Amino acid sequence: MTESFRRNGEYPQGEQQQHQSAYSQQEHATSQQESSAFAGPSAGTPVNPEWPPPPAYEPPYTPGPTHSPGPAHDPSQHAAAPTALLTEPVSPAASRRRRARGPLALLAAVAIAAAAVGGGTAYAFQELTGGNDVAATSTTTNVVPTAQKGTVAGVAQAVSPSIVEINATSSVGESTGSGVIITSDGEIITNNHVVSGADSIKVRTSDGKSYSAEVVGTDSKKDLALIKLQDASGMKTATLGNSDGVKVGDEVVAIGSPEGLTGTVTSGIVSALNRDVTVSTEEDQGQGQGGGSGQWPFGFGGQEFNGDTGSSTTTYKALQTDASLNPGNSGGALIDMNGNIIGINSAMYSPASATSSSAGSAGLGFAIPINTVKSDLSTLRAGGSDS
């Protein structure tokens, strides 16, 4: 009989009262006195149990054992139910559970925030180190916009404003070359043979503006020179990279003014490293170079190319490239695919039978490594080793 009674989900009278009391405490969070008044016969006016008033809102579903009201069920419970249900009851056990979850939730939030910051830092670090670069990274700076990284067009757009055309005039002739802006007030690095012995120097920028310039310092042993624009400000400066990180096969872009064609862009690869290139240190050798007047002579492997280098020469280590270089490219930039200057173009080979009108690139060009330039800047600013 008892087993049958309990399988129907009902309880004896005593157990039912205990269950209802615990249920009332859990669902309504009332005090012991309020529970007594709630269960007592004096709790308000009884309401017809067949038509109880609707609750203030739908009570939340709480899983638990199914029970049916016993014979001692007091109809007055329906009258007080709407007021008790206006606030969702929170049992002591539930409160403890929520407090226990608090530190865990805080730790989870901290972990999520750390992951977000870490991811942003990783992304920023990747962007700064060029983790997605097409070409090998030779520096930690990305000058080319992200959408155009690894493209010749992107490099040309980013770097061309920093490359200038140089026209130098002396008593023995004229020379046309290129230069790279390195300071906003108009310091420009170029080859010594472009400006050596010049009486006047004119510079034209990529936007067509013309400036007068003067020589600050020359270093004929490294075929480098530093000139300064007069009354210039707000110039677009180039980013000097790290030529020690350059590898054979790296893609490169050359920008200069071959034959006076300002802002000409060519591309290729680094063909070799540490080539011993011999050039003249005589002032009059540079004049007449470019502009269709002749070639800049240099020596390599015990041979001379583009004419006689003269009796006074110097040898330096150069980057070799197959990017097309022509007369007038001297002093211009050799650039990696991140937009960083990795060399100053200084010499190119033309076949011995070529004349000034038929001369062209044979895919053998040479550039002074930019680390050589950076190490020489303080000397050039002080007047150069030739002063």
Side-chain angles (χ1 to χ4, degrees), residues 322-334:
D322 69 349
S324 179
L325 300 180
N326 292 284
N329 272 114
S330 291
L334 190 67

Side-chain angles (χ1 to χ4, degrees), residues 42-54:
S42 61
T45 304
V47 180
N48 190 334
E50 295 183 1
W51 300 98

Side-chain angles (χ1 to χ4, degrees), residues 168-234:
T169 304
S170 72
S171 59
V172 297
E174 296 181 356
S175 67
T176 300
S178 305
V180 179
I181 302 173
I182 61 172
T183 63
S184 61
D185 61 350
E187 280 189 346
I188 295 173
I189 196 76
T190 187
N191 287 139
N192 175 64
H193 72 258
V194 172
V195 297
S196 60
D199 297 323
S200 67
I201 301 173
K202 298 294 182 181
V203 174
R204 185 169 62 174
T205 57
S206 63
D207 58 4
K209 294 181 179 179
S210 294
Y211 296 85
S212 294
E214 58 184 11
V215 175
V216 176
T218 60
D219 186 346
S220 60
K221 293 181 175 58
K222 296 179 180 176
D223 196 16
L224 291 173
L226 182 69
I227 65 175
K228 176 72 179 298
L229 300 182
Q230 296 177 0
D231 302 321
S233 63

Side-chain angles (χ1 to χ4, degrees), residues 25-222:
Q25 291 177 6
Q26 180 177 356
E27 292 295 316
H28 308 294
T30 58
S31 63
Q32 184 175 2
Q33 291 180 353
E34 290 174 336
S35 298
S36 301
F38 182 84
S42 61
T45 304
V47 180
N48 190 334
E50 295 183 1
W51 300 98
Y57 60 85
E58 186 66 21
Y61 173 73
T62 304
T66 304
H67 60 276
S68 301
H73 179 72
D74 192 340
S76 63
Q77 294 180 18
H78 296 286
T83 303
L85 289 174
L86 287 176
T87 303
E88 183 178 0
V90 179
S91 66
S95 177
R96 285 193 300 273
R97 284 196 301 270
R98 290 176 183 175
R99 285 194 296 270
R101 285 197 303 267
L104 295 177
L106 177 60
L107 290 175
V110 171
I112 292 172
V117 172
T121 303
Y123 176 79
F125 179 80
Q126 183 183 60
E127 286 297 302
L128 287 174
T129 56
N132 295 327
D133 292 342
V134 176
T137 302
S138 61
T139 183
T140 56
T141 303
N142 288 306
V143 180
V144 181
T146 301
Q148 294 182 302
K149 279 199 303 185
T151 67
V152 175
V155 173
Q157 180 179 351
V159 184
S160 288
S162 302
I163 312 301
V164 301
E165 177 186 311
I166 299 174
N167 291 282
T169 304
S170 72
S171 59
V172 297
E174 296 181 356
S175 67
T176 300
S178 305
V180 179
I181 302 173
I182 61 172
T183 63
S184 61
D185 61 350
E187 280 189 346
I188 295 173
I189 196 76
T190 187
N191 287 139
N192 175 64
H193 72 258
V194 172
V195 297
S196 60
D199 297 323
S200 67
I201 301 173
K202 298 294 182 181
V203 174
R204 185 169 62 174
T205 57
S206 63
D207 58 4
K209 294 181 179 179
S210 294
Y211 296 85
S212 294
E214 58 184 11
V215 175
V216 176
T218 60
D219 186 346
S220 60
K221 293 181 175 58
K222 296 179 180 176

Side-chain angles (χ1 to χ4, degrees), residues 252 268-272 319-325 334 345 363-367:
V252 290
I269 64 169
V270 174
S271 304
L319 303 173
Q320 182 181 329
T321 180
D322 69 349
S324 179
L325 300 180
L334 190 67
N345 298 320
L364 291 175
F366 302 92

Side-chain angles (χ1 to χ4, degrees), residues 263-281:
T264 297
V265 177
T266 58
S267 65
I269 64 169
V270 174
S271 304
L273 306 174
N274 299 318
R275 293 297 199 196
D276 288 326
V277 174
T278 300
V279 297
S280 174
T281 60

